[in-house]
Amino acid sequence: MMKYYIFYNGGKIYYSDRGRGTAILLLHGYLESSEIWDSFAVKLAEGFRVISVDLPGHGESSVFGPCHTMEFMAEAIRELVTGLNLKKVFLTGHSLGGYVALAFAEMFPEFLSGFCLFHSHPFADPPEAIAKREREKEIVRAGKKFLMYPENVSMMFSEENTVKLPEALKRSKEIAAAVPDEGIIAVLDGMIKRPQRLSVVEEGRVPLLWILGRKDRYISCELVLSKVKLPYGSKAEILEDSGHLGFIEEEDMSLRVLSDFVTGLNGK
């Protein structure tokens, strides 16, 4: 798939662009790149225009500094949206990408027809998560990210799917291995510093689709759902056989849920 880029803040943001119609913009997660969406994006593009982005410090996009805040990355996405002359997009963020989508929804709601938190949530890091991220930063600084990412990636799949989907697991590890050290550190620091954005979800200024995995080993779907009051026009969907990568683990179901929500917003 051919990639394009825009200039942003002295560097480049890379993206792919498939299909035609209503624009859906896909944001990947931590230790990922736009390539994580490839199979999903190809199928989604049968009915929509699908733009997959390499977030700053990931894939082919530039590293812009020692910390990539969610706000900084949201501004980069706004630059891409305006550069492509898109009036409205539906923003879909996986994990880290969901944190960026929340920042975007808070800062630039006028550009959104809706957004999706895909295995993500609106809460700030608790102390134990911050401590884990600080340890990961030190591991990467020591040139030993190979000690970290294989386990992190394996944990993204449900236990059953690490056995059922060996090629997908292998590919996810390859993508993680290619993320530059400086990019990992910058986004870890950005995630540590991100604020809670519960109000963005509960105020309902932008329609939200929230997709969670029943077998997610990073996010307890029951716990996070119990802490949020979803407004009218928003929807939560639980993928029963998915861990943290439902668009891979239950691709067809994920495609159907996302497509139906976006189509409903557009009154098709």
Side-chain angles (χ1 to χ4, degrees):
M1 178 68 193
M2 175 176 280
K3 279 191 176 181
Y4 310 92
Y5 64 84
I6 60 164
F7 290 105
Y8 172 68
N9 209 48
K12 295 178 181 178
I13 300 293
Y14 279 80
Y15 65 97
S16 61
D17 194 344
R18 303 172 169 93
R20 304 171 80 178
T22 299
I24 299 178
L25 204 152
L26 303 177
L27 304 179
H28 61 79
Y30 172 53
L31 295 176
E32 297 174 355
S33 74
S34 61
E35 293 178 25
I36 200 76
W37 295 105
D38 276 354
S39 175
F40 187 82
V42 166
K43 293 173 183 175
L44 191 61
E46 293 174 9
F48 303 93
R49 181 179 179 183
V50 180
I51 300 157
S52 308
V53 184
D54 284 341
L55 288 170
H58 295 71
E60 296 180 51
S61 291
S62 304
V63 178
F64 292 87
C67 178
H68 291 157
T69 65
M70 304 306 106
E71 296 81 8
F72 176 82
M73 291 193 283
E75 288 168 352
I77 299 307
R78 192 272 308 265
E79 194 77 7
L80 175 61
V81 169
T82 56
L84 293 175
N85 293 314
L86 298 171
K87 303 301 181 189
K88 295 276 188 180
V89 298
F90 187 90
L91 197 54
T92 298
H94 174 239
S95 199
L96 158 68
Y99 306 151
V100 178
L102 282 161
F104 191 100
E106 182 177 71
M107 298 164 69
F108 312 115
E110 67 275 12
F111 287 104
L112 293 178
S113 59
F115 72 112
C116 173
L117 297 181
F118 214 140
H119 305 299
S120 193
H121 61 77
F123 305 108
D125 275 352
E128 60 271 20
I130 290 175
K132 182 176 184 290
R133 296 198 201 281
E134 292 288 2
R135 287 194 299 272
E136 291 187 351
K137 283 163 61 178
E138 291 309 310
I139 290 169
V140 177
R141 283 196 184 102
K144 297 181 178 180
K145 73 177 179 185
F146 62 87
L147 296 176
M148 176 193 72
Y149 74 79
E151 180 183 0
N152 282 15
V153 171
S154 295
M155 286 282 290
M156 290 185 192
F157 292 81
S158 72
E159 289 187 42
E160 298 93 327
N161 286 330
T162 59
V163 178
K164 290 180 183 177
L165 302 169
E167 288 303 313
L169 176 58
K170 178 173 178 284
R171 180 64 182 137
S172 293
K173 288 180 179 179
E174 290 170 350
I175 291 170
V179 180
D181 292 4
E182 298 83 357
I184 294 175
I185 292 168
V187 80
L188 282 168
D189 205 46
M191 287 192 287
I192 288 169
K193 293 175 179 175
R194 80 182 190 280
Q196 174 175 274
R197 285 195 162 90
L198 183 59
S199 62
V200 176
V201 172
E202 294 190 334
E203 287 172 4
R205 293 174 68 192
V206 180
L208 166 67
L209 173 62
W210 196 4
I211 303 177
L212 295 159
R214 181 75 69 188
K215 299 177 181 178
D216 195 325
R217 293 190 272 177
Y218 283 108
I219 298 173
S220 167
C221 59
E222 293 87 355
L223 181 61
V224 294
L225 282 171
S226 72
K227 294 181 177 181
V228 178
K229 295 178 182 177
L230 281 181
Y232 178 78
S234 294
K235 179 183 180 182
E237 187 84 32
I238 297 176
L239 302 175
E240 295 294 335
D241 295 314
S242 290
H244 198 63
L245 288 166
F247 56 92
I248 294 174
E249 296 173 274
E250 288 183 83
E251 184 181 67
D252 289 344
M253 176 65 78
S254 296
L255 284 165
R256 185 159 61 251
V257 169
L258 181 60
S259 297
D260 287 352
F261 191 83
V262 176
T263 299
L265 291 177
N266 288 283
K268 291 181 181 175

